Amino acid sequence: MQSYLEIENGVVPSVCSLDCPDQCGLLLHKRDGKIVKIEGDPEHPVTKGSICNKVRHMSERIYDQNRITTPLKRVGQKGDGKFVPISWTEAIETITDHWKTLISEVGPESILPYSFYANMGKLSSKGMDRRFFNRLGSSQLDRTICSVAGEVGYNYTMGGRYGTDPEEMTETKLFILWGINAVSTNMHQMMIAQKARKNGAKIVVIDVHKNQTGRMADWFIPIIPGTDGALALGIMHILYEENMVNQSFLEDYTIGYEALQDHVKNYTPQMVSTITGIPVEDIYSLARMYGTTSPSMIRIGNGPQHHDNGGMIVRTIACLPALTGQWEVTGGGALKSNADYLTHNIAALEHPNLLKQPPRRFNMNRLGDALLEEKEPIRSLYVYNSNPALVAPDANKVREGLARTDLFMVVHDLFLTDTAKFADIVLPATSAFENTDFYTSFWHHYIHIQEPVIPPFEDSKSNPDVFRLLAQGMGFEEPSFRDDDQEMMKQALSNLTNPHLSEVTYESLKEKRFMKASGTNTILHNLQTPSGKIELYSKQMELDGYPALPTYIPIIQDSDYPLLYVPTANHNFLNTIFSNNEKHIKMEKEPKLFMNLHDAELRGIEDKDLVRIWNDRGECEMTVSVGEHVLPGVVVSLGLWADQTGEKRLVNALTPNRVADMGGGATFFSGRVEVSVSHSNDEES
Ligand code: SF4
């Protein structure tokens, strides 16, 4: 069969590589060997031909004139962005010579990799790189910035990242979208809910911001940030009180339901209303709607878990479908993540056997502290698939660390990002459409193969190729460093212990392009909790130092600043991806802060004023939108914007780098700020 690379003019299938739950099937239109148009693949069983605007305009990013074309060496000050081109040979020699010296003088743990999932491909994000750093004996990174707190919390209740199948949600009669702006960050979830609405389903959105999703809901419920756990407990209180629990389900499939019944008596609707800011009658209405509608599905978003108490919040919400027996109903249940249905052979791909001893570890949420640590300091940082100068919390501290003149830093990226400007060596990265890889969704149940559609852009290389070169430069002789992409995929899809992928092999996936995990409707009979049941009471949590029953624990009040600050995602960027691409910036227009009218009046702030947002960590400036989109005492901003001369828009300058209650997760949404007029709208007219 002709490879997609050889097709100069035509349409070829692909898959979206971005860190987005939908993982859409794509069709790429090629003319004269270049991608000229991107659209959805109508044959994809879940995403069915629709894609977001971000990726519809992806080709402008792929051929952006600012893409890095060759390896670069820094010639100016760190952060200035002054570089000269060098060859790959010089780049690899410079890096490996430096690392060999560091290893002999202070040891390999002076080197730290820093990466996340800018490209979700398994080979690109957790393949040859993991083999390399395992063999190197470097320090290791705990990749905790996104969903770990909620996953740990969910797993205490449910035993794994298993949830409702989106393809069954056509049956759903009640969607509760809890802390997720699905229109912008999980668009097919919203499309499914809207389609079901035509058959009588209701959409309820619980969020701190009346964003696009909230505005499309049948009922939007605004909540004070970090209090979602209290709301879930208040709903449980009413479900028990008004006998809306499914007793036979509780007896068959759960443990701790009697202890929970006693426990939630404490969470009266009156008390929960005071905590959450939700009127008592609304708490009753929501509980009654939830207790009497079936099938009901709770889509648990990323928002609630980004708090000090994020793990416990998700653990608590995850108890709700068990109380009403929704796991037995097609289209019922909850969905935090479906990732465990699609787990590949991790050991075969990452080779943890190459580690000689347990490594020193750093939590990626505390990068600033890690880089400023004076005892046994990190002396070299290798960044790929991420842009920590913008995405990491407490960003001013991170930048102070990145600017250290004694830190040898390498960045592998498509663009000279805000992080790359601090690098000593910058390496040009391929886009996903230039790579061989495989992808698994954490929302739907499909695994996909990606075959290269266009050749590497100029002199760019994929992550696996760079790590093969680095391994060669370091003199690593293990055969695993010579595995090509195809061989790595075969290994990752062989000897699988995951029964849901029993029909998947490299060959079958190559032939079919995408395949569905099997046996996913047997979740109730295969729960991986210690008891094998849904754990409303968790002995394991007690052993780990948490309350065994779901409990409301307030977020930390880290200062006296009066406003809770929640920096959320925007519509046209994906984290910082697209924040440097003209087309996407134009679509997004400008950074915005949403503030309640009451708070604005108190401060003499008017709609569209330029405002200063600050706390002890830093400051930034944005145009304010005044109204009723957020509750009093809360401000919300949209998007992670790349630096621009003269503009202060680094929202993570304000966010705390404390870690959440579970898994070392991030607490982006638990910070506090003050806001004042920076520049009045009137002054412009
Ligand atoms: S970013 Fe998400 S919605 Fe957009 S194409 Fe990719 S997977 Fe689909």
PDB file of all heavy atoms in Angstrom, residues 604-629:
ATOM      1  N   GLY A 604     -14.722  50.424  41.960  1.00  0.00           N
ATOM      2  CA  GLY A 604     -14.789  51.469  40.940  1.00  0.00           C
ATOM      3  C   GLY A 604     -14.344  50.975  39.572  1.00  0.00           C
ATOM      4  O   GLY A 604     -13.795  51.724  38.762  1.00  0.00           O
ATOM      5  N   ILE A 605     -14.591  49.687  39.313  1.00  0.00           N
ATOM      6  CA  ILE A 605     -14.180  49.092  38.032  1.00  0.00           C
ATOM      7  C   ILE A 605     -15.384  49.029  37.100  1.00  0.00           C
ATOM      8  O   ILE A 605     -16.476  48.661  37.518  1.00  0.00           O
ATOM      9  CB  ILE A 605     -13.607  47.668  38.271  1.00  0.00           C
ATOM     10  CG1 ILE A 605     -12.288  47.756  39.024  1.00  0.00           C
ATOM     11  CG2 ILE A 605     -13.428  46.920  36.941  1.00  0.00           C
ATOM     12  CD1 ILE A 605     -11.753  46.403  39.488  1.00  0.00           C
ATOM     13  N   GLU A 606     -15.157  49.386  35.840  1.00  0.00           N
ATOM     14  CA  GLU A 606     -16.243  49.294  34.856  1.00  0.00           C
ATOM     15  C   GLU A 606     -15.900  48.274  33.786  1.00  0.00           C
ATOM     16  O   GLU A 606     -14.720  47.984  33.546  1.00  0.00           O
ATOM     17  CB  GLU A 606     -16.464  50.665  34.216  1.00  0.00           C
ATOM     18  CG  GLU A 606     -17.090  51.637  35.196  1.00  0.00           C
ATOM     19  CD  GLU A 606     -17.373  52.983  34.572  1.00  0.00           C
ATOM     20  OE1 GLU A 606     -17.315  53.100  33.333  1.00  0.00           O
ATOM     21  OE2 GLU A 606     -17.630  53.906  35.361  1.00  0.00           O
ATOM     22  N   ASP A 607     -16.945  47.787  33.137  1.00  0.00           N
ATOM     23  CA  ASP A 607     -16.774  46.801  32.072  1.00  0.00           C
ATOM     24  C   ASP A 607     -15.753  47.308  31.048  1.00  0.00           C
ATOM     25  O   ASP A 607     -15.772  48.474  30.674  1.00  0.00           O
ATOM     26  CB  ASP A 607     -18.135  46.578  31.398  1.00  0.00           C
ATOM     27  CG  ASP A 607     -18.124  45.367  30.480  1.00  0.00           C
ATOM     28  OD1 ASP A 607     -17.488  44.375  30.841  1.00  0.00           O
ATOM     29  OD2 ASP A 607     -18.731  45.440  29.406  1.00  0.00           O
ATOM     30  N   LYS A 608     -14.874  46.419  30.619  1.00  0.00           N
ATOM     31  CA  LYS A 608     -13.844  46.677  29.596  1.00  0.00           C
ATOM     32  C   LYS A 608     -12.667  47.525  30.099  1.00  0.00           C
ATOM     33  O   LYS A 608     -11.797  47.885  29.318  1.00  0.00           O
ATOM     34  CB  LYS A 608     -14.447  47.322  28.346  1.00  0.00           C
ATOM     35  CG  LYS A 608     -15.425  46.425  27.600  1.00  0.00           C
ATOM     36  CD  LYS A 608     -15.648  46.932  26.179  1.00  0.00           C
ATOM     37  CE  LYS A 608     -16.526  46.026  25.366  1.00  0.00           C
ATOM     38  NZ  LYS A 608     -17.863  45.800  25.886  1.00  0.00           N
ATOM     39  N   ASP A 609     -12.637  47.860  31.379  1.00  0.00           N
ATOM     40  CA  ASP A 609     -11.430  48.505  31.928  1.00  0.00           C
ATOM     41  C   ASP A 609     -10.258  47.552  31.841  1.00  0.00           C
ATOM     42  O   ASP A 609     -10.436  46.319  31.939  1.00  0.00           O
ATOM     43  CB  ASP A 609     -11.636  48.856  33.413  1.00  0.00           C
ATOM     44  CG  ASP A 609     -12.378  50.165  33.616  1.00  0.00           C
ATOM     45  OD1 ASP A 609     -12.573  50.888  32.628  1.00  0.00           O
ATOM     46  OD2 ASP A 609     -12.772  50.430  34.773  1.00  0.00           O
ATOM     47  N   LEU A 610      -9.075  48.115  31.703  1.00  0.00           N
ATOM     48  CA  LEU A 610      -7.875  47.293  31.866  1.00  0.00           C
ATOM     49  C   LEU A 610      -7.623  47.221  33.367  1.00  0.00           C
ATOM     50  O   LEU A 610      -7.557  48.260  34.036  1.00  0.00           O
ATOM     51  CB  LEU A 610      -6.685  47.940  31.154  1.00  0.00           C
ATOM     52  CG  LEU A 610      -5.384  47.146  31.156  1.00  0.00           C
ATOM     53  CD1 LEU A 610      -5.531  45.893  30.293  1.00  0.00           C
ATOM     54  CD2 LEU A 610      -4.232  47.999  30.635  1.00  0.00           C
ATOM     55  N   VAL A 611      -7.526  45.995  33.898  1.00  0.00           N
ATOM     56  CA  VAL A 611      -7.353  45.882  35.350  1.00  0.00           C
ATOM     57  C   VAL A 611      -6.039  45.190  35.691  1.00  0.00           C
ATOM     58  O   VAL A 611      -5.498  44.411  34.891  1.00  0.00           O
ATOM     59  CB  VAL A 611      -8.522  45.108  36.018  1.00  0.00           C
ATOM     60  CG1 VAL A 611      -9.795  45.907  35.950  1.00  0.00           C
ATOM     61  CG2 VAL A 611      -8.687  43.728  35.414  1.00  0.00           C
ATOM     62  N   ARG A 612      -5.567  45.531  36.877  1.00  0.00           N
ATOM     63  CA  ARG A 612      -4.366  44.876  37.413  1.00  0.00           C
ATOM     64  C   ARG A 612      -4.833  43.818  38.407  1.00  0.00           C
ATOM     65  O   ARG A 612      -5.671  44.109  39.276  1.00  0.00           O
ATOM     66  CB  ARG A 612      -3.494  45.931  38.084  1.00  0.00           C
ATOM     67  CG  ARG A 612      -2.271  45.375  38.761  1.00  0.00           C
ATOM     68  CD  ARG A 612      -1.394  46.494  39.308  1.00  0.00           C
ATOM     69  NE  ARG A 612      -0.286  45.920  40.053  1.00  0.00           N
ATOM     70  CZ  ARG A 612      -0.152  45.978  41.372  1.00  0.00           C
ATOM     71  NH1 ARG A 612      -1.030  46.615  42.107  1.00  0.00           N
ATOM     72  NH2 ARG A 612       0.891  45.388  41.956  1.00  0.00           N
ATOM     73  N   ILE A 613      -4.301  42.613  38.269  1.00  0.00           N
ATOM     74  CA  ILE A 613      -4.639  41.511  39.177  1.00  0.00           C
ATOM     75  C   ILE A 613      -3.346  41.154  39.888  1.00  0.00           C
ATOM     76  O   ILE A 613      -2.338  40.924  39.208  1.00  0.00           O
ATOM     77  CB  ILE A 613      -5.139  40.289  38.382  1.00  0.00           C
ATOM     78  CG1 ILE A 613      -6.206  40.738  37.379  1.00  0.00           C
ATOM     79  CG2 ILE A 613      -5.671  39.193  39.265  1.00  0.00           C
ATOM     80  CD1 ILE A 613      -6.116  39.996  36.086  1.00  0.00           C
ATOM     81  N   TRP A 614      -3.362  41.096  41.192  1.00  0.00           N
ATOM     82  CA  TRP A 614      -2.093  40.839  41.845  1.00  0.00           C
ATOM     83  C   TRP A 614      -2.245  40.084  43.156  1.00  0.00           C
ATOM     84  O   TRP A 614      -3.326  40.051  43.739  1.00  0.00           O
ATOM     85  CB  TRP A 614      -1.325  42.151  42.066  1.00  0.00           C
ATOM     86  CG  TRP A 614      -1.733  42.926  43.296  1.00  0.00           C
ATOM     87  CD1 TRP A 614      -1.169  42.845  44.527  1.00  0.00           C
ATOM     88  CD2 TRP A 614      -2.792  43.877  43.410  1.00  0.00           C
ATOM     89  NE1 TRP A 614      -1.814  43.688  45.399  1.00  0.00           N
ATOM     90  CE2 TRP A 614      -2.805  44.343  44.745  1.00  0.00           C
ATOM     91  CE3 TRP A 614      -3.737  44.392  42.521  1.00  0.00           C
ATOM     92  CZ2 TRP A 614      -3.714  45.280  45.201  1.00  0.00           C
ATOM     93  CZ3 TRP A 614      -4.651  45.336  42.978  1.00  0.00           C
ATOM     94  CH2 TRP A 614      -4.631  45.763  44.303  1.00  0.00           C
ATOM     95  N   ASN A 615      -1.147  39.511  43.569  1.00  0.00           N
ATOM     96  CA  ASN A 615      -1.002  38.967  44.916  1.00  0.00           C
ATOM     97  C   ASN A 615       0.488  38.974  45.243  1.00  0.00           C
ATOM     98  O   ASN A 615       1.266  39.622  44.516  1.00  0.00           O
ATOM     99  CB  ASN A 615      -1.650  37.572  45.052  1.00  0.00           C
ATOM    100  CG  ASN A 615      -1.033  36.539  44.108  1.00  0.00           C
ATOM    101  OD1 ASN A 615       0.102  36.711  43.626  1.00  0.00           O
ATOM    102  ND2 ASN A 615      -1.767  35.480  43.835  1.00  0.00           N
ATOM    103  N   ASP A 616       0.892  38.267  46.281  1.00  0.00           N
ATOM    104  CA  ASP A 616       2.321  38.327  46.669  1.00  0.00           C
ATOM    105  C   ASP A 616       3.225  37.624  45.670  1.00  0.00           C
ATOM    106  O   ASP A 616       4.446  37.794  45.702  1.00  0.00           O
ATOM    107  CB  ASP A 616       2.516  37.683  48.051  1.00  0.00           C
ATOM    108  CG  ASP A 616       1.910  38.539  49.142  1.00  0.00           C
ATOM    109  OD1 ASP A 616       1.575  39.706  48.844  1.00  0.00           O
ATOM    110  OD2 ASP A 616       1.746  38.032  50.275  1.00  0.00           O
ATOM    111  N   ARG A 617       2.664  36.778  44.818  1.00  0.00           N
ATOM    112  CA  ARG A 617       3.499  36.043  43.856  1.00  0.00           C
ATOM    113  C   ARG A 617       3.786  36.848  42.608  1.00  0.00           C
ATOM    114  O   ARG A 617       4.804  36.648  41.957  1.00  0.00           O
ATOM    115  CB  ARG A 617       2.808  34.745  43.432  1.00  0.00           C
ATOM    116  CG  ARG A 617       2.617  33.780  44.552  1.00  0.00           C
ATOM    117  CD  ARG A 617       1.913  32.515  44.099  1.00  0.00           C
ATOM    118  NE  ARG A 617       1.366  31.879  45.257  1.00  0.00           N
ATOM    119  CZ  ARG A 617       0.095  31.979  45.653  1.00  0.00           C
ATOM    120  NH1 ARG A 617      -0.787  32.632  44.922  1.00  0.00           N
ATOM    121  NH2 ARG A 617      -0.294  31.407  46.759  1.00  0.00           N
ATOM    122  N   GLY A 618       2.868  37.714  42.211  1.00  0.00           N
ATOM    123  CA  GLY A 618       3.079  38.458  40.974  1.00  0.00           C
ATOM    124  C   GLY A 618       1.866  39.252  40.579  1.00  0.00           C
ATOM    125  O   GLY A 618       0.954  39.470  41.382  1.00  0.00           O
ATOM    126  N   GLU A 619       1.850  39.662  39.327  1.00  0.00           N
ATOM    127  CA  GLU A 619       0.731  40.461  38.845  1.00  0.00           C
ATOM    128  C   GLU A 619       0.526  40.209  37.366  1.00  0.00           C
ATOM    129  O   GLU A 619       1.424  39.728  36.677  1.00  0.00           O
ATOM    130  CB  GLU A 619       1.013  41.957  39.064  1.00  0.00           C
ATOM    131  CG  GLU A 619       2.219  42.450  38.297  1.00  0.00           C
ATOM    132  CD  GLU A 619       2.392  43.962  38.363  1.00  0.00           C
ATOM    133  OE1 GLU A 619       1.404  44.666  38.650  1.00  0.00           O
ATOM    134  OE2 GLU A 619       3.516  44.414  38.106  1.00  0.00           O
ATOM    135  N   CYS A 620      -0.659  40.535  36.869  1.00  0.00           N
ATOM    136  CA  CYS A 620      -0.858  40.610  35.430  1.00  0.00           C
ATOM    137  C   CYS A 620      -1.991  41.578  35.138  1.00  0.00           C
ATOM    138  O   CYS A 620      -2.658  42.084  36.047  1.00  0.00           O
ATOM    139  CB  CYS A 620      -1.042  39.249  34.797  1.00  0.00           C
ATOM    140  SG  CYS A 620      -2.338  38.257  35.438  1.00  0.00           S
ATOM    141  N   GLU A 621      -2.166  41.874  33.862  1.00  0.00           N
ATOM    142  CA  GLU A 621      -3.174  42.853  33.446  1.00  0.00           C
ATOM    143  C   GLU A 621      -4.078  42.239  32.389  1.00  0.00           C
ATOM    144  O   GLU A 621      -3.600  41.512  31.506  1.00  0.00           O
ATOM    145  CB  GLU A 621      -2.496  44.085  32.842  1.00  0.00           C
ATOM    146  CG  GLU A 621      -1.912  45.021  33.867  1.00  0.00           C
ATOM    147  CD  GLU A 621      -1.284  46.251  33.229  1.00  0.00           C
ATOM    148  OE1 GLU A 621      -0.889  46.194  32.039  1.00  0.00           O
ATOM    149  OE2 GLU A 621      -1.175  47.260  33.921  1.00  0.00           O
ATOM    150  N   MET A 622      -5.361  42.550  32.480  1.00  0.00           N
ATOM    151  CA  MET A 622      -6.321  42.044  31.494  1.00  0.00           C
ATOM    152  C   MET A 622      -7.483  43.012  31.375  1.00  0.00           C
ATOM    153  O   MET A 622      -7.710  43.820  32.271  1.00  0.00           O
ATOM    154  CB  MET A 622      -6.915  40.710  31.983  1.00  0.00           C
ATOM    155  CG  MET A 622      -6.068  39.531  31.742  1.00  0.00           C
ATOM    156  SD  MET A 622      -6.856  38.121  32.504  1.00  0.00           S
ATOM    157  CE  MET A 622      -5.430  37.394  33.256  1.00  0.00           C
ATOM    158  N   THR A 623      -8.225  42.825  30.307  1.00  0.00           N
ATOM    159  CA  THR A 623      -9.468  43.574  30.164  1.00  0.00           C
ATOM    160  C   THR A 623     -10.544  42.850  30.974  1.00  0.00           C
ATOM    161  O   THR A 623     -10.644  41.624  30.911  1.00  0.00           O
ATOM    162  CB  THR A 623      -9.879  43.617  28.684  1.00  0.00           C
ATOM    163  OG1 THR A 623      -8.809  44.189  27.962  1.00  0.00           O
ATOM    164  CG2 THR A 623     -11.133  44.451  28.484  1.00  0.00           C
ATOM    165  N   VAL A 624     -11.323  43.628  31.716  1.00  0.00           N
ATOM    166  CA  VAL A 624     -12.307  42.997  32.591  1.00  0.00           C
ATOM    167  C   VAL A 624     -13.678  42.939  31.912  1.00  0.00           C
ATOM    168  O   VAL A 624     -14.040  43.842  31.154  1.00  0.00           O
ATOM    169  CB  VAL A 624     -12.391  43.753  33.951  1.00  0.00           C
ATOM    170  CG1 VAL A 624     -13.062  45.114  33.783  1.00  0.00           C
ATOM    171  CG2 VAL A 624     -13.112  42.927  35.003  1.00  0.00           C
ATOM    172  N   SER A 625     -14.384  41.851  32.169  1.00  0.00           N
ATOM    173  CA  SER A 625     -15.772  41.733  31.744  1.00  0.00           C
ATOM    174  C   SER A 625     -16.608  41.693  33.021  1.00  0.00           C
ATOM    175  O   SER A 625     -16.511  40.744  33.805  1.00  0.00           O
ATOM    176  CB  SER A 625     -15.947  40.453  30.919  1.00  0.00           C
ATOM    177  OG  SER A 625     -17.284  40.297  30.594  1.00  0.00           O
ATOM    178  N   VAL A 626     -17.387  42.727  33.240  1.00  0.00           N
ATOM    179  CA  VAL A 626     -18.156  42.845  34.482  1.00  0.00           C
ATOM    180  C   VAL A 626     -19.579  42.346  34.247  1.00  0.00           C
ATOM    181  O   VAL A 626     -20.185  42.671  33.225  1.00  0.00           O
ATOM    182  CB  VAL A 626     -18.178  44.317  34.955  1.00  0.00           C
ATOM    183  CG1 VAL A 626     -19.077  44.481  36.169  1.00  0.00           C
ATOM    184  CG2 VAL A 626     -16.765  44.794  35.268  1.00  0.00           C
ATOM    185  N   GLY A 627     -20.097  41.547  35.169  1.00  0.00           N
ATOM    186  CA  GLY A 627     -21.465  41.053  34.993  1.00  0.00           C
ATOM    187  C   GLY A 627     -21.804  40.020  36.034  1.00  0.00           C
ATOM    188  O   GLY A 627     -21.334  40.085  37.182  1.00  0.00           O
ATOM    189  N   GLU A 628     -22.606  39.056  35.626  1.00  0.00           N
ATOM    190  CA  GLU A 628     -23.086  38.030  36.558  1.00  0.00           C
ATOM    191  C   GLU A 628     -22.536  36.652  36.180  1.00  0.00           C
ATOM    192  O   GLU A 628     -23.127  35.645  36.530  1.00  0.00           O
ATOM    193  CB  GLU A 628     -24.632  37.990  36.551  1.00  0.00           C
ATOM    194  CG  GLU A 628     -25.299  39.304  36.918  1.00  0.00           C
ATOM    195  CD  GLU A 628     -25.161  39.642  38.398  1.00  0.00           C
ATOM    196  OE1 GLU A 628     -24.879  38.730  39.204  1.00  0.00           O
ATOM    197  OE2 GLU A 628     -25.311  40.828  38.743  1.00  0.00           O
ATOM    198  N   HIS A 629     -21.432  36.634  35.439  1.00  0.00           N
ATOM    199  CA  HIS A 629     -20.893  35.339  34.996  1.00  0.00           C
ATOM    200  C   HIS A 629     -20.197  34.576  36.107  1.00  0.00           C
ATOM    201  O   HIS A 629     -19.960  33.375  35.995  1.00  0.00           O
ATOM    202  CB  HIS A 629     -19.903  35.529  33.841  1.00  0.00           C
ATOM    203  CG  HIS A 629     -20.560  35.961  32.576  1.00  0.00           C
ATOM    204  ND1 HIS A 629     -20.750  37.279  32.249  1.00  0.00           N
ATOM    205  CD2 HIS A 629     -21.097  35.240  31.588  1.00  0.00           C
ATOM    206  CE1 HIS A 629     -21.379  37.351  31.094  1.00  0.00           C
ATOM    207  NE2 HIS A 629     -21.607  36.129  30.670  1.00  0.00           N
TER     208      HIS A 629
END
